[in-house]
Amino acid sequence: MANQPSTDPYPKHMREAIKKVEATRTRRMSEDFPVLSADDKASLLKKFHPDHKAGELVDIKVGPSKGEKSFKEIESVIQAYSRVDPKGFDLSKIDFDVDVLVIGGGGAGSSAALVANEAGAKVLLVTKLRLGDANTMMAQGGIQAADKSNDPPSQHFLDVMGGGHYHNFPELVKALVLDAPYVMKWLQDLGAMFDKENDGTYITIHGGGTSRKRMHAARDYSGAEIMRTLKDEVINKGIEVLEFSSAIELLKDEEGKCAGAILYNMETEEHFVCRAKTTVIATGGAGRLHVQGFPTSNHYGATADGIVLAYRAGAPFVFMDAIQYHPTGSAYPEQILGLLVTEKVRGLGAQLINIDGDQFVYPLETRDVVSSAIIRECGERSKGTKTLSDVYGIWLDSPMIELKHGKGAIKKALPAMARQYERCDIDMTKDPILIYPTQHYQNGGVKINADAESDVPNLFIAGEATGGVHGRNRLMGNSLLDILVFGRRAGKNAAARSKDTKAGKLSMNHVDTFHKELKSAGIPEDRISPALLPDYRRPETVERQKGQVPLSGRV
């Protein structure tokens, strides 16, 4: 280690910091983890969690959640004008006429489409990118399900409620944990392959905030395995799918029920009218809005489109002032800044280590507590390691996994993670990796009931676009479970409702009403949403191209 070759992926000052991590490794193997009391945790969250940073929340001035607060980046798309002129758009030509319209092609949308199709409904699934291009595909660590003899769903229920600081809606949590074992069986029957013992028993591990080992995984590409299974099934069932097609406005009928959407083909720039007896929104979260300037682990299309459309239609929010920051996003090297380092790394024994070589927080505390501790360590305590790009981070001592479980443990349990770093010439079996919190999940969203229905009749919502399931903090593994439980419920109930629904006259009166509210509140008319895609242009380019970008205009 004294004479590092010139190809060392870490600069000299970071290599010196790594030596301190290595020097304390033997001691830390038998050292007790730091313990925080409930009061300590509350104080840590209040002082260091980004949700509590002064000046970042603004008032929502219009719509059903008027008077509540959200972050500036999210408010800017919520309180914005439609891409469609509600008075001038022709709704007389119906391009698609279906029982169930599913908006979103990730795990929640695919689940909804499959169950609705199985119930005999005519289904159209539309997705802004390709089928499967979603956060589901990027999920790594696993999916929770209480399906072992020592772990009743009631124990899972208590863990979820505690992780969400008891702000969760109990009826939603009940649905989540009771459906979980059936979801696992459904996935297995469809062909999903999870890690198992030689006798066929599921291998399960702990996640942050869990009292039992109930995390089921497919190595460290669990979401990809689930999405592969669902995508294949959607294709095999012959469900109609429109790719590269965004829903840019919901439609209602004369009775105020959701009746479909206006679709926008992002390749041909054509607009289509879809009439649907029921609609399911499964568009995911808002990571690509980069709240407070954080990097994100989210896929390219996560721009809060579904919550924007649902809100204009009259569906209220819950907890839109709560964002989850995953404690371990990559902080180095620059080309993978913000990419997820799965919680499974900590679940297998890696510790969080500051510049002195000391661990400062129990690595499997809840995500909000661990994130806050890391932010404190890099900020107030000046215990972080600085990169050449002036980014600070904390060491995640991944070689501890090999010491605890034997040589080869990382490549066996974390093959995708190992490859992610190998591409950057970093061997995480030998060197620790530098991490810092990354924007990961939208805890809040549209309010739903246990049937996955919003306050707008015939509008169902599933997955990250909803709020209430996880309270103000989600536990690892409950997002993959959430999308499947409520995706299935949305599909089932949307299909059943469609049998008793007649398609009425299509209208965008609700959009016109929303526009009037925006004008009365003084919201500038150059705000247009949904965003569809993140805008990574430089400010000077934005100024130069004003009025010239196809996706920024209205029709």
Side-chain angles (χ1 to χ4, degrees):
M1 296 295 291
N3 297 308
Q4 286 295 319
S6 59
T7 56
D8 187 356
Y10 289 112
K12 183 177 180 180
H13 76 282
M14 293 180 72
R15 178 57 63 185
E16 291 301 315
I18 288 174
K19 290 180 181 179
K20 293 184 179 180
V21 175
E22 294 170 335
T24 62
R25 201 170 275 155
T26 302
R27 166 173 60 82
R28 288 186 281 106
M29 283 290 292
S30 57
E31 184 180 69
D32 290 335
F33 291 116
V35 176
L36 294 175
S37 69
D39 288 342
D40 290 337
K41 293 176 189 178
S43 176
L44 182 66
L45 290 171
K46 186 174 182 179
K47 190 171 182 181
F48 295 102
H49 195 278
D51 282 359
H52 300 290
K53 187 175 180 180
E56 295 297 327
L57 291 171
V58 294
D59 292 329
I60 298 176
K61 299 178 181 178
V62 302
S65 294
K66 181 179 179 180
E68 297 180 15
K69 293 183 181 294
S70 188
F71 294 96
K72 291 181 284 189
E73 295 84 355
I74 295 177
E75 177 271 334
S76 68
V77 295
I78 291 171
Q79 299 192 138
Y81 294 81
S82 176
R83 290 179 172 274
V84 179
D85 178 359
K87 293 182 177 179
F89 195 90
D90 182 11
L91 296 175
S92 62
K93 181 178 178 295
I94 308 298
D95 299 290
F96 299 93
D97 205 351
V98 298
D99 297 324
V100 179
L101 169 64
V102 178
I103 303 169
S110 297
S111 298
L114 286 169
V115 174
N117 176 76
E118 186 179 345
K122 181 181 179 182
V123 178
L124 173 65
L125 187 154
V126 300
T127 182
K128 162 164 66 174
L129 300 174
R130 299 168 301 180
L131 180 63
D133 285 348
N135 282 342
T136 305
M137 180 67 76
M138 303 175 75
Q140 298 170 333
I143 177 172
Q144 287 203 49
D147 57 2
K148 291 191 173 181
S149 59
N150 70 332
D151 188 21
S154 58
Q155 192 67 38
H156 190 183
F157 179 93
L158 292 173
D159 285 351
V160 177
M161 293 295 294
H165 303 294
Y166 300 97
H167 291 283
N168 323 56
F169 292 1
E171 68 274 17
L172 300 183
V173 181
K174 179 181 177 182
L176 183 79
V177 302
L178 288 181
D179 283 10
Y182 301 100
V183 161
M184 289 302 299
K185 184 179 185 307
W186 182 62
L187 288 173
Q188 180 167 274
D189 290 346
L190 291 179
M193 294 181 287
F194 290 93
D195 300 341
K196 292 182 178 181
E197 305 284 3
N198 291 334
D199 64 359
T201 304
Y202 282 123
I203 296 172
T204 52
I205 65 169
H206 273 301
T210 61
S211 60
R212 297 287 189 277
K213 292 182 178 181
R214 71 172 70 92
M215 196 68 56
H216 303 66
R219 298 297 190 266
D220 59 346
Y221 45 82
S222 305
E225 173 60 13
I226 290 172
M227 195 66 246
R228 175 198 67 79
T229 304
L230 297 177
K231 180 179 177 180
D232 284 354
E233 193 69 8
V234 168
I235 294 170
N236 291 339
K237 293 295 184 181
I239 295 171
E240 186 173 9
V241 176
L242 290 182
E243 296 184 316
F244 301 108
S245 295
S246 299
I248 59 172
E249 203 58 70
L250 293 179
L251 301 172
K252 286 186 170 184
D253 64 15
E254 61 268 50
E255 296 178 357
K257 300 192 297 292
C258 188
I262 295 174
L263 311 177
Y264 173 68
N265 186 301
M266 298 174 69
E267 294 182 301
T268 66
E269 299 188 13
E270 295 175 278
H271 292 83
F272 301 101
V273 175
C274 176
R275 182 168 62 187
K277 295 176 181 177
T278 58
T279 300
V280 177
I281 284 179
T283 52
R288 288 288 168 170
L289 298 183
H290 296 285
V291 170
Q292 298 188 43
F294 272 79
T296 186
S297 63
N298 284 193
H299 81 106
Y300 195 62
T303 49
D305 297 357
I307 67 167
V308 168
L309 303 186
Y311 191 66
R312 277 192 200 133
F317 296 138
V318 290
F319 308 137
M320 285 306 293
D321 57 348
I323 297 289
Q324 180 170 88
Y325 299 87
H326 196 291
T328 54
S330 178
Y332 180 87
E334 289 82 352
Q335 59 264 40
I336 59 171
L337 181 68
L339 289 189
L340 193 64
V341 176
T342 173
E343 194 163 313
K344 190 175 180 181
V345 177
R346 285 174 284 138
L348 290 169
Q351 297 173 353
L352 294 160
I353 309 301
N354 64 21
I355 201 167
D356 295 329
D358 297 325
Q359 54 179 329
F360 54 92
V361 67
Y362 173 51
L364 289 180
E365 267 291 358
T366 56
R367 285 176 172 177
D368 52 354
V369 170
V370 179
S371 293
S372 299
I374 293 169
I375 291 170
R376 177 196 62 191
E377 213 70 7
C378 289
E380 183 181 88
R381 292 186 174 178
S382 300
K383 299 287 188 179
T385 296
K386 186 179 180 180
T387 72
L388 296 175
S389 301
D390 293 334
V391 172
Y392 283 86
I394 288 295
W395 294 107
L396 182 60
D397 195 8
S398 50
M400 292 284 288
I401 297 172
E402 303 268 297
L403 292 176
K404 289 186 175 184
H405 301 286
K407 187 175 181 180
I410 286 179
K411 290 192 176 181
K412 180 180 179 182
L414 302 163
M417 192 97 304
R419 285 195 298 272
Q420 175 174 297
Y421 279 94
E422 284 172 359
R423 287 195 293 267
C424 303
D425 298 321
I426 292 173
D427 185 349
M428 64 182 291
T429 70
K430 298 178 180 178
D431 284 329
I433 52 182
L434 198 70
I435 57 86
Y436 190 80
T438 183
Q439 187 181 344
H440 184 57
Y441 192 82
Q442 176 185 296
N443 286 317
V446 181
K447 181 170 75 73
I448 59 169
N449 61 23
D451 291 331
E453 188 171 18
S454 73
D455 283 8
V456 177
N458 292 1
L459 177 61
F460 298 82
I461 308 183
E464 195 175 347
T466 71
V469 181
H470 309 291
R472 292 189 170 275
N473 178 67
R474 178 180 63 78
L475 298 184
M476 172 194 179
N478 281 338
S479 58
L480 285 176
L481 179 59
D482 174 6
I483 61 175
L484 298 171
V485 166
F486 289 99
R488 284 169 50 85
R489 286 184 173 230
K492 175 185 175 181
N493 294 311
R497 181 71 56 79
S498 71
K499 295 177 181 178
D500 301 321
T501 298
K502 292 184 179 180
K505 183 179 179 181
L506 300 181
S507 165
M508 279 195 287
N509 290 339
H510 63 286
V511 179
D512 187 43
T513 300
F514 193 80
H515 280 185
K516 289 175 181 176
E517 285 191 64
L518 291 172
K519 289 178 182 178
S520 296
I523 304 299
E525 294 189 40
D526 60 354
R527 279 195 189 182
I528 298 172
S529 69
L532 301 185
L533 295 174
D535 190 347
Y536 291 128
R537 296 171 296 162
R538 294 177 180 274
E540 60 269 23
T541 305
V542 173
E543 186 64 30
R544 187 174 68 249
Q545 294 181 343
K546 273 186 177 179
Q548 300 176 27
V549 183
L551 289 180
S552 68
R554 285 157 67 188
V555 294

